[in-house]
Amino acid sequence: MEPLNLDHNEIMRYLSMPADSETKSIQELIEECKRELFNKLRPRFVYRVFDIEKNEHGIVLLGDGFILPGKDIVNHLDGAEKTIVLALTLGIEAELVIKRYARAQLTKTLVLEAVCTEIIEKYSDQVLQEIIKKEGLTQWIPNFGYGVGYGDLPLSLQPQILSLLDAQRKIGLTCNANHIMIPRKSITSIFGLFVEKREQADSCSICSLKENCQRRKDGFPCGRFKRDEK
């Protein structure tokens, strides 16, 4: 895997630590984890592009009839003409690296987990731009990826999303009875494509669960704030 420009501030956030608390030893450990993961990971992805429309139940993926339910996904795709539904995995390789240190080196295990999360975010950004170019969608403006299980978009939708993308056959990605993806370091994301750039809302502001979100109260919310639209 080619190295990505990872953000140490984001990695610290995933560790639930303020960015200014990054010591030299933590910085060195992050760099060590980055090198080890970049040497091992073989990320894969699969996607589909849909025209969409809104009805009383949520967002309809035209041509398939699949419905994304809930108010939050409607807000996320408000004004969008199309959507990209993406599944991405770092593969079993990520789990094997983390498992190697899980019992004996807890701190390194936590840093590996955080670095994997940042790799997924940055790789997702990269893949999105690749898809836009490949599909001839450069006239459209994307917003950030909305994950299954965010807000009122139910996690129970995960098996259907993976089936919609044929993810198990194409990239070896499935989920268990609790709707947790296997391999674990994987995401599904829904991007809106817009004719004109709209004011970018952060992922907390459109989430119906934000008032009771403990991570948000602690200052370490799950979504990125004000991610730049390309």
Side-chain angles (χ1 to χ4, degrees), residues 165-225:
L165 298 176
D166 197 14
Q168 182 173 4
R169 183 179 68 85
K170 291 184 176 179
I171 61 173
L173 180 57
T174 185
C175 63
N176 63 22
N178 295 318
H179 316 303
I180 304 302
M181 284 188 285
I182 304 171
R184 210 164 44 87
K185 293 302 178 184
S186 307
I187 60 168
T188 49
S189 293
I190 299 162
F191 299 88
L193 294 175
F194 300 82
V195 174
E196 297 180 351
K197 186 172 183 177
R198 68 171 188 172
E199 183 178 350
Q200 180 68 64
D202 64 64
S203 56
C204 282
S205 69
I206 63 171
C207 178
S208 61
L209 305 181
K210 63 179 180 294
E211 298 304 325
N212 296 314
C213 177
Q214 190 59 49
R215 287 189 61 85
R216 185 169 180 263
K217 292 176 183 178
D218 292 342
F220 302 102
C222 60
R224 290 191 172 196
F225 279 56

Side-chain angles (χ1 to χ4, degrees), residues 44-88:
R44 296 170 286 277
F45 68 93
V46 63
Y47 69 93
R48 289 180 65 183
V49 181
F50 296 92
D51 291 319
I52 58 175
E53 67 179 18
K54 180 174 69 174
N55 68 14
E56 66 273 21
H57 302 295
I59 297 293
V60 183
L61 305 183
L62 299 178
D64 190 276
F66 190 86
I67 296 177
L68 300 170
K71 294 181 180 179
D72 292 336
I73 194 64
V74 169
N75 289 337
H76 179 63
L77 297 176
D78 184 32
E81 301 284 338
K82 297 176 182 288
T83 186
I84 297 172
V85 182
L86 168 71
L88 181 154

